[in-house]
Short mmCIF file of all heavy atoms in Angstrom, two decimals:
data_model
loop_
_atom_site.label_atom_id
_atom_site.label_comp_id
_atom_site.label_asym_id
_atom_site.label_seq_id
_atom_site.Cartn_x
_atom_site.Cartn_y
_atom_site.Cartn_z
N ALA A 536 -58.52 20.46 19.37
CA ALA A 536 -58.28 21.78 19.94
C ALA A 536 -56.95 22.35 19.43
O ALA A 536 -55.93 21.66 19.43
CB ALA A 536 -58.25 21.70 21.47
N GLY A 537 -57.00 23.59 19.00
CA GLY A 537 -55.77 24.28 18.62
C GLY A 537 -55.20 25.02 19.82
O GLY A 537 -55.95 25.50 20.67
N ASN A 538 -53.89 25.04 19.91
CA ASN A 538 -53.21 25.82 20.95
C ASN A 538 -52.28 26.79 20.22
O ASN A 538 -51.22 26.38 19.74
CB ASN A 538 -52.42 24.88 21.87
CG ASN A 538 -51.54 25.63 22.86
OD1 ASN A 538 -51.69 26.84 23.05
ND2 ASN A 538 -50.62 24.90 23.50
N LYS A 540 -50.57 29.17 21.40
CA LYS A 540 -49.42 29.62 22.20
C LYS A 540 -49.28 31.14 22.06
O LYS A 540 -50.27 31.82 22.02
CB LYS A 540 -48.16 28.85 21.77
CG LYS A 540 -48.41 27.33 21.78
CD LYS A 540 -47.16 26.52 21.65
CE LYS A 540 -47.53 25.04 21.71
NZ LYS A 540 -46.37 24.17 21.72
N ILE A 621 -56.76 25.74 28.80
CA ILE A 621 -55.67 24.77 28.92
C ILE A 621 -55.03 24.98 30.30
O ILE A 621 -54.78 26.11 30.70
CB ILE A 621 -54.60 25.01 27.82
CG1 ILE A 621 -55.20 24.80 26.43
CG2 ILE A 621 -53.40 24.08 28.02
CD1 ILE A 621 -54.24 25.15 25.29
N HIS A 624 -49.97 23.19 30.79
CA HIS A 624 -49.18 22.88 29.59
C HIS A 624 -47.71 22.76 30.00
O HIS A 624 -47.24 23.49 30.88
CB HIS A 624 -49.36 23.96 28.53
CG HIS A 624 -48.77 23.58 27.22
ND1 HIS A 624 -47.42 23.71 26.96
CD2 HIS A 624 -49.32 23.03 26.11
CE1 HIS A 624 -47.18 23.25 25.74
NE2 HIS A 624 -48.31 22.84 25.19
N SER A 625 -46.97 21.89 29.35
CA SER A 625 -45.57 21.66 29.75
C SER A 625 -44.73 22.93 29.66
O SER A 625 -43.78 23.10 30.41
CB SER A 625 -44.94 20.54 28.92
OG SER A 625 -44.91 20.90 27.57
N GLU A 626 -45.10 23.83 28.73
CA GLU A 626 -44.34 25.09 28.65
C GLU A 626 -44.57 25.94 29.90
O GLU A 626 -43.67 26.65 30.36
CB GLU A 626 -44.71 25.84 27.37
CG GLU A 626 -44.10 25.17 26.15
CD GLU A 626 -44.90 25.31 24.87
OE1 GLU A 626 -45.76 26.21 24.78
OE2 GLU A 626 -44.67 24.50 23.94
N CYS A 655 -53.11 19.20 30.83
CA CYS A 655 -51.99 18.58 30.11
C CYS A 655 -51.08 17.79 31.04
O CYS A 655 -50.72 18.26 32.12
CB CYS A 655 -51.15 19.65 29.43
SG CYS A 655 -52.07 20.65 28.27
N ALA A 694 -55.15 16.00 28.15
CA ALA A 694 -54.30 15.98 26.96
C ALA A 694 -52.97 15.33 27.32
O ALA A 694 -52.23 15.85 28.17
CB ALA A 694 -54.07 17.39 26.44
N GLU A 696 -49.42 14.88 26.37
CA GLU A 696 -48.45 15.52 25.49
C GLU A 696 -47.03 15.17 25.92
O GLU A 696 -46.48 15.82 26.82
CB GLU A 696 -48.62 17.04 25.55
CG GLU A 696 -49.98 17.52 25.10
CD GLU A 696 -49.90 18.94 24.56
OE1 GLU A 696 -49.44 19.84 25.27
OE2 GLU A 696 -50.29 19.12 23.40
N PRO A 697 -46.42 14.17 25.29
CA PRO A 697 -45.02 13.88 25.61
C PRO A 697 -44.17 15.11 25.27
O PRO A 697 -44.24 15.62 24.16
CB PRO A 697 -44.68 12.69 24.71
CG PRO A 697 -45.77 12.59 23.69
CD PRO A 697 -46.96 13.30 24.23
N ALA A 700 -42.14 15.43 22.15
CA ALA A 700 -42.83 15.48 20.85
C ALA A 700 -43.40 16.87 20.54
O ALA A 700 -43.87 17.10 19.44
CB ALA A 700 -43.95 14.45 20.82
N ILE A 701 -43.32 17.78 21.53
CA ILE A 701 -43.95 19.09 21.33
C ILE A 701 -43.05 20.01 20.52
O ILE A 701 -41.92 20.30 20.92
CB ILE A 701 -44.29 19.74 22.69
CG1 ILE A 701 -45.36 18.92 23.40
CG2 ILE A 701 -44.77 21.18 22.49
CD1 ILE A 701 -45.71 19.42 24.77
N GLY A 702 -43.55 20.43 19.38
CA GLY A 702 -42.84 21.39 18.54
C GLY A 702 -41.53 20.86 17.95
O GLY A 702 -40.73 21.62 17.43
N THR A 703 -41.33 19.55 18.03
CA THR A 703 -40.06 18.98 17.58
C THR A 703 -40.22 18.28 16.23
O THR A 703 -39.22 17.88 15.63
CB THR A 703 -39.57 17.92 18.59
OG1 THR A 703 -40.61 16.94 18.75
CG2 THR A 703 -39.24 18.52 19.93
N GLY A 704 -41.44 18.08 15.80
CA GLY A 704 -41.67 17.33 14.57
C GLY A 704 -41.56 15.82 14.81
O GLY A 704 -41.74 15.01 13.92
N LYS A 705 -41.28 15.46 16.07
CA LYS A 705 -41.12 14.05 16.45
C LYS A 705 -42.44 13.62 17.11
O LYS A 705 -42.74 14.02 18.23
CB LYS A 705 -40.00 13.99 17.49
CG LYS A 705 -39.02 12.89 17.31
CD LYS A 705 -37.89 13.16 18.28
CE LYS A 705 -37.26 11.89 18.76
NZ LYS A 705 -36.21 12.17 19.74
N TYR A 739 -54.37 13.44 22.34
CA TYR A 739 -52.92 13.36 22.17
C TYR A 739 -52.44 14.72 21.65
O TYR A 739 -53.12 15.35 20.84
CB TYR A 739 -52.53 12.26 21.17
CG TYR A 739 -51.06 12.39 20.79
CD1 TYR A 739 -50.07 11.95 21.66
CD2 TYR A 739 -50.69 13.03 19.60
CE1 TYR A 739 -48.73 12.14 21.34
CE2 TYR A 739 -49.36 13.22 19.28
CZ TYR A 739 -48.38 12.78 20.16
OH TYR A 739 -47.05 12.99 19.87
N GLY A 740 -51.27 15.15 22.11
CA GLY A 740 -50.67 16.37 21.56
C GLY A 740 -49.17 16.20 21.43
O GLY A 740 -48.54 15.52 22.25
N GLY A 741 -48.60 16.83 20.43
CA GLY A 741 -47.15 16.73 20.19
C GLY A 741 -46.91 16.44 18.72
O GLY A 741 -46.98 15.29 18.30
N SER A 742 -46.70 17.53 17.96
CA SER A 742 -46.44 17.41 16.52
C SER A 742 -47.54 16.65 15.77
O SER A 742 -47.27 15.95 14.79
CB SER A 742 -45.07 16.78 16.26
OG SER A 742 -44.06 17.61 16.82
N MET A 743 -48.77 16.77 16.24
CA MET A 743 -49.89 16.20 15.47
C MET A 743 -50.09 17.11 14.26
O MET A 743 -50.06 18.33 14.39
CB MET A 743 -51.15 16.13 16.31
CG MET A 743 -52.21 15.23 15.71
SD MET A 743 -53.71 15.34 16.69
CE MET A 743 -54.26 13.70 16.74
N ASN A 744 -50.29 16.51 13.11
CA ASN A 744 -50.44 17.33 11.91
C ASN A 744 -51.40 16.67 10.93
O ASN A 744 -51.98 15.61 11.22
CB ASN A 744 -49.07 17.62 11.28
CG ASN A 744 -48.34 16.35 10.88
OD1 ASN A 744 -48.95 15.37 10.45
ND2 ASN A 744 -47.03 16.35 11.04
N LEU A 761 -54.54 17.98 20.77
CA LEU A 761 -54.20 19.36 21.16
C LEU A 761 -53.06 19.73 20.24
O LEU A 761 -51.98 19.12 20.30
CB LEU A 761 -53.81 19.43 22.64
CG LEU A 761 -53.51 20.83 23.18
CD1 LEU A 761 -54.70 21.77 22.99
CD2 LEU A 761 -53.17 20.78 24.67
N ILE A 762 -53.33 20.70 19.38
CA ILE A 762 -52.44 20.93 18.25
C ILE A 762 -51.84 22.32 18.29
O ILE A 762 -52.57 23.32 18.33
CB ILE A 762 -53.25 20.72 16.94
CG1 ILE A 762 -53.74 19.26 16.88
CG2 ILE A 762 -52.42 21.04 15.71
CD1 ILE A 762 -55.20 19.12 16.73
N GLY A 763 -50.51 22.38 18.29
CA GLY A 763 -49.81 23.67 18.32
C GLY A 763 -49.58 24.18 16.91
O GLY A 763 -50.45 24.78 16.27
N GLY A 764 -48.38 23.91 16.39
CA GLY A 764 -47.95 24.44 15.09
C GLY A 764 -48.99 24.31 13.98
O GLY A 764 -49.28 25.29 13.28
N ALA A 765 -49.56 23.12 13.83
CA ALA A 765 -50.49 22.90 12.71
C ALA A 765 -51.82 23.63 12.90
O ALA A 765 -52.59 23.75 11.95
CB ALA A 765 -50.72 21.41 12.51
N SER A 766 -52.08 24.16 14.11
CA SER A 766 -53.34 24.89 14.30
C SER A 766 -53.24 26.34 13.85
O SER A 766 -54.22 27.08 13.85
CB SER A 766 -53.78 24.84 15.77
OG SER A 766 -52.99 25.72 16.56
P1 LIG B 135 -47.15 21.09 18.62
O1 LIG B 135 -47.64 21.62 20.06
O2 LIG B 135 -48.36 20.54 17.91
O3 LIG B 135 -46.58 22.31 17.93
O4 LIG B 135 -46.13 20.04 18.86
C1 LIG B 135 -48.58 20.89 20.78
C2 LIG B 135 -48.81 21.58 22.11
O5 LIG B 135 -47.85 22.07 22.71
O6 LIG B 135 -49.95 21.63 22.60
#
Side-chain angles (χ1 to χ4, degrees):
N538 172 14
K540 309 192 178 185
I621 298 174
H624 190 279
S625 62
E626 286 149 19
C655 301
E696 299 207 303
I701 294 176
T703 56
K705 224 170 149 182
Y739 168 78
S742 299
M743 195 185 221
N744 60 35
L761 183 58
I762 298 124
S766 75

